[in-house]
Amino acid sequence: MTWQDKVRRVTPYTAGEQPKDKTLIKLNTNECPYPPSPSVKIVLEEVAQRADQMRLYPDMDATPIVTELARAYKVRPEQIFVGVGSDDVLSMSFLTFFTNGKKVLFPDITYSFYDVWADLYRIDYTAVPLRDDFTINPDNYIPGSKDFAAPGQELGGIIFPNPNAPTGVELPLAEIERIVAGNPDCVVIVDEAYVDFGAKSAKELLTKYKNLLIVQTFSKSRALAGIRIGFAIGNEELIGYLKDVKFSFNSYTMNLPALAVGAAAARDVDYFHYLTGRIVETREWFKGELKRLGFSFPDSKTNFVFITHEKIHAKELFKKLRENRVIVRYFDKPRINEYLRVTIGTKPQMEEVVRVLEKILQETDR
């Protein structure tokens, strides 16, 4: 046996392409098309004036961000955990709450990092099929139900995005509550990366259920994908366990500029609503244009739309869009290989996408 035989090997997450050509219309990674709050630039300039402070370790409790988030979401600071992007928070959550030997459930069509973390941490899981319309069946996640996805097994946890990615479909709050209430002995994580674009957060359930953890991000609705800030909201005990795991790895994960920028973005609630409102408005306009062109798609409550067309295969449409300098996301996976995920960009960008789609469909009809 060689040393290579003893290495832990996993299949890593495949991120969306980050092209060097900045003239392309880049709609493949669900980034915000607009800049962050103007206060972010001011804070960065202030941080630059205090460069001497970089010699010091940052606040390990991320107090500046936690304080502003607690105020914005009307919870106690002890109920908030901050990490380096929601991926960091979710990874820590897998490691903290999902244990070996007990089954974890998540949808089969979902954020493709979940199975990566499960494999990395040696967590047993079942990918539960969505319905044909891409909705979650809550009974699949409730022990004792005739449709329970893991009969005879003890659950170790549940995680799902709401709205789901890459489909964009929202699970109603009442159905989320059914899942949480039906699993009092395990942690249920609701990944709300896209909740700010029209879906209803499960935050109001936190006062009723101690086994619920909500995870959100600054990447989408606060236009800060490049600074890496994510957070979880839950009861104080859950958050305490997360901090114990985090501090077992690295106490100082959030750097000083990120703390300052995150606090400023969380404080600017008016800009947050302006930004999300603008994206929602463009998304709804784009949906109308897609219907006019004969596309089908689930009703999206996110900053993207998951589209398909009966006249052209998604893989072929993906290539033709690229030839016309538009990049979207194609998942060559069972059940969704006839769909493309298209991020909502600026209104002029989406108008150009509509023009390109019209051109491609006209060429297909010839």
Side-chain angles (χ1 to χ4, degrees):
M1 180 178 290
T2 67
W3 66 265
Q4 290 96 335
D5 297 316
K6 301 174 183 178
V7 173
R8 174 174 290 189
R9 300 183 184 184
V10 295
T11 302
Y13 169 74
T14 302
E17 178 188 0
Q18 295 289 349
K20 303 298 183 184
D21 185 351
K22 302 305 180 183
T23 65
L24 299 174
I25 297 179
K26 184 177 181 297
L27 304 176
N28 65 328
T29 50
N30 296 342
E31 294 152 321
C32 182
Y34 303 109
S37 164
S39 61
V40 166
K41 181 178 180 181
I42 295 172
V43 166
L44 283 174
E45 292 171 349
E46 292 173 350
V47 169
Q49 296 300 316
R50 295 183 282 119
D52 61 303
Q53 293 187 15
M54 299 297 177
R55 63 187 176 81
L56 303 173
Y57 285 112
D59 182 345
M60 61 187 289
D61 291 312
T63 303
I65 299 177
V66 168
T67 299
E68 296 300 335
L69 287 174
R71 181 180 295 114
Y73 290 92
K74 296 179 174 56
V75 296
R76 296 182 300 279
E78 295 78 14
Q79 291 182 262
I80 295 176
F81 174 88
V82 174
V84 186
S86 61
D87 287 340
D88 179 44
V89 176
L90 289 166
S91 177
M92 288 287 180
S93 299
F94 266 70
L95 191 58
T96 305
F97 302 118
F98 299 161
T99 56
N100 290 333
K102 295 181 181 179
K103 182 77 71 172
V104 169
L105 302 181
F106 49 77
D108 65 333
I109 302 171
T110 193
Y111 185 31
S112 52
F113 233 138
Y114 295 163
D115 58 349
V116 173
W117 288 319
D119 289 338
L120 179 64
Y121 298 134
R122 303 294 192 261
I123 296 167
D124 189 20
Y125 69 90
T126 291
V128 183
L130 296 177
R131 298 185 179 111
D132 290 341
D133 62 357
F134 294 147
T135 59
I136 287 175
N137 178 2
D139 290 334
N140 292 156
Y141 297 85
I142 300 174
S145 168
K146 66 179 180 63
D147 295 324
F148 181 52
Q153 300 185 62
E154 182 180 1
L155 280 191
I158 294 169
I159 182 170
F160 56 88
N162 194 50
N164 195 17
T167 65
V169 176
E170 177 187 16
L171 183 65
L173 186 62
E175 297 192 4
I176 294 175
E177 183 167 12
R178 283 188 60 212
I179 294 173
V180 178
N183 290 278
D185 297 326
C186 67
V187 175
V188 177
I189 301 174
V190 182
D191 180 357
E192 295 187 341
Y194 300 98
V195 76
D196 297 322
F197 300 102
K200 188 173 181 59
S201 173
K203 185 179 73 69
E204 66 183 63
L205 300 179
L206 290 172
T207 57
K208 295 176 62 175
Y209 302 100
K210 293 185 176 181
N211 62 320
L212 172 63
L213 188 75
I214 293 170
V215 178
Q216 294 191 14
T217 178
F218 280 49
S219 296
K220 320 298 182 185
S221 55
R222 290 184 173 87
L224 287 173
I227 204 74
R228 313 306 300 130
I229 302 172
F231 63 98
I233 308 177
N235 77 73
E236 294 179 22
E237 188 175 8
L238 285 181
I239 298 303
Y241 290 138
L242 270 175
K243 288 183 178 179
D244 289 344
V245 171
K246 171 188 174 182
F247 295 155
S248 298
F249 279 93
N250 181 355
S251 300
Y252 305 104
T253 56
M254 300 300 298
N255 60 56
L256 191 151
L259 290 174
V261 165
R267 191 180 305 117
D268 195 347
V269 177
D270 289 342
Y271 188 81
F272 165 77
H273 289 302
Y274 163 76
L275 199 64
T276 54
R278 196 172 179 184
I279 291 170
V280 168
E281 182 181 9
T282 303
R283 180 192 70 203
E284 294 306 303
W285 172 85
F286 186 54
K287 284 181 185 178
E289 292 298 296
L290 289 171
K291 289 178 181 177
R292 179 177 64 81
L293 294 175
F295 283 91
S296 301
F297 48 88
D299 186 29
S300 174
K301 292 297 181 68
T302 64
N303 67 339
F304 60 83
V305 184
F306 200 51
I307 67 172
T308 186
H309 201 288
E310 62 180 8
K311 291 185 178 181
I312 183 169
H313 191 283
K315 194 170 187 177
E316 181 65 17
L317 180 57
F318 171 78
K319 292 178 180 177
K320 288 186 176 297
L321 283 168
R322 181 60 185 259
E323 290 170 1
N324 285 272
R325 307 188 63 74
V326 177
I327 305 179
V328 298
R329 192 75 188 267
Y330 174 64
F331 299 92
D332 195 3
K333 295 180 178 181
R335 300 189 68 194
I336 59 173
N337 60 1
E338 286 287 354
Y339 287 81
L340 296 179
R341 192 192 68 190
V342 183
T343 303
I344 301 300
T346 65
K347 183 67 175 296
Q349 285 178 324
M350 303 317 291
E351 289 172 342
E352 175 62 13
V353 172
V354 169
R355 187 194 68 78
V356 170
L357 288 173
E358 286 178 328
K359 172 188 171 186
I360 292 172
L361 291 173
Q362 288 171 359
E363 291 173 349
T364 302
D365 288 337
R366 290 173 186 169

Short mmCIF file of all heavy atoms in Angstrom, two decimals, residues 1-10 122:
data_model
loop_
_atom_site.label_atom_id
_atom_site.label_comp_id
_atom_site.label_asym_id
_atom_site.label_seq_id
_atom_site.Cartn_x
_atom_site.Cartn_y
_atom_site.Cartn_z
N MET A 1 0.85 -1.21 0.00
CA MET A 1 0.00 0.00 0.00
C MET A 1 0.87 1.25 0.00
O MET A 1 1.83 1.34 0.76
CB MET A 1 -0.92 0.00 1.21
CG MET A 1 -1.83 1.22 1.30
SD MET A 1 -2.97 1.17 2.70
CE MET A 1 -4.09 -0.14 2.19
N THR A 2 0.57 2.20 -0.86
CA THR A 2 1.34 3.44 -0.94
C THR A 2 0.65 4.53 -0.13
O THR A 2 -0.48 4.38 0.32
CB THR A 2 1.45 3.91 -2.40
OG1 THR A 2 0.14 4.29 -2.87
CG2 THR A 2 2.01 2.80 -3.28
N TRP A 3 1.34 5.67 0.00
CA TRP A 3 0.72 6.78 0.73
C TRP A 3 -0.50 7.31 -0.01
O TRP A 3 -1.46 7.80 0.60
CB TRP A 3 1.73 7.91 0.97
CG TRP A 3 2.23 8.61 -0.27
CD1 TRP A 3 3.36 8.34 -0.96
CD2 TRP A 3 1.59 9.71 -0.94
NE1 TRP A 3 3.48 9.19 -2.04
CE2 TRP A 3 2.40 10.05 -2.04
CE3 TRP A 3 0.44 10.44 -0.71
CZ2 TRP A 3 2.07 11.08 -2.92
CZ3 TRP A 3 0.11 11.46 -1.58
CH2 TRP A 3 0.92 11.78 -2.68
N GLN A 4 -0.50 7.16 -1.36
CA GLN A 4 -1.65 7.62 -2.13
C GLN A 4 -2.92 6.83 -1.78
O GLN A 4 -4.03 7.36 -1.82
CB GLN A 4 -1.38 7.50 -3.63
CG GLN A 4 -0.36 8.49 -4.16
CD GLN A 4 1.04 7.89 -4.23
OE1 GLN A 4 1.34 6.96 -3.49
NE2 GLN A 4 1.86 8.41 -5.13
N ASP A 5 -2.74 5.57 -1.41
CA ASP A 5 -3.89 4.73 -1.05
C ASP A 5 -4.52 5.15 0.27
O ASP A 5 -5.65 4.74 0.58
CB ASP A 5 -3.46 3.26 -0.96
CG ASP A 5 -2.97 2.73 -2.30
OD1 ASP A 5 -3.63 3.02 -3.32
OD2 ASP A 5 -1.93 2.06 -2.32
N LYS A 6 -3.82 5.95 1.04
CA LYS A 6 -4.31 6.37 2.36
C LYS A 6 -4.89 7.78 2.35
O LYS A 6 -5.34 8.27 3.37
CB LYS A 6 -3.18 6.30 3.38
CG LYS A 6 -2.58 4.90 3.51
CD LYS A 6 -1.36 4.89 4.42
CE LYS A 6 -0.73 3.50 4.46
NZ LYS A 6 0.49 3.48 5.30
N VAL A 7 -4.88 8.42 1.17
CA VAL A 7 -5.39 9.79 1.06
C VAL A 7 -6.91 9.76 1.00
O VAL A 7 -7.51 8.91 0.32
CB VAL A 7 -4.83 10.47 -0.21
CG1 VAL A 7 -5.49 11.81 -0.44
CG2 VAL A 7 -3.31 10.65 -0.07
N ARG A 8 -7.56 10.67 1.68
CA ARG A 8 -9.01 10.82 1.57
C ARG A 8 -9.33 11.48 0.24
O ARG A 8 -8.89 12.59 -0.03
CB ARG A 8 -9.56 11.65 2.73
CG ARG A 8 -11.05 11.96 2.58
CD ARG A 8 -11.62 12.65 3.79
NE ARG A 8 -11.68 11.75 4.93
CZ ARG A 8 -12.30 12.03 6.08
NH1 ARG A 8 -12.88 13.21 6.23
NH2 ARG A 8 -12.32 11.17 7.06
N ARG A 9 -10.13 10.82 -0.57
CA ARG A 9 -10.45 11.34 -1.89
C ARG A 9 -11.96 11.58 -2.02
O ARG A 9 -12.76 10.73 -1.64
CB ARG A 9 -9.99 10.36 -2.98
CG ARG A 9 -8.49 10.10 -2.95
CD ARG A 9 -8.06 9.20 -4.07
NE ARG A 9 -6.65 8.88 -3.98
CZ ARG A 9 -5.98 8.16 -4.88
NH1 ARG A 9 -6.61 7.71 -5.95
NH2 ARG A 9 -4.70 7.92 -4.72
N VAL A 10 -12.30 12.72 -2.55
CA VAL A 10 -13.69 13.07 -2.81
C VAL A 10 -13.78 13.72 -4.18
O VAL A 10 -12.79 14.23 -4.72
CB VAL A 10 -14.25 14.04 -1.74
CG1 VAL A 10 -14.30 13.37 -0.38
CG2 VAL A 10 -13.45 15.32 -1.68
N ARG A 122 -17.94 11.80 5.58
CA ARG A 122 -18.35 10.42 5.75
C ARG A 122 -19.74 10.32 6.38
O ARG A 122 -19.98 9.57 7.33
CB ARG A 122 -17.33 9.64 6.60
CG ARG A 122 -15.91 9.66 6.05
CD ARG A 122 -15.83 8.90 4.72
NE ARG A 122 -14.46 8.66 4.32
CZ ARG A 122 -13.79 9.39 3.44
NH1 ARG A 122 -14.38 10.44 2.87
NH2 ARG A 122 -12.54 9.08 3.11
#
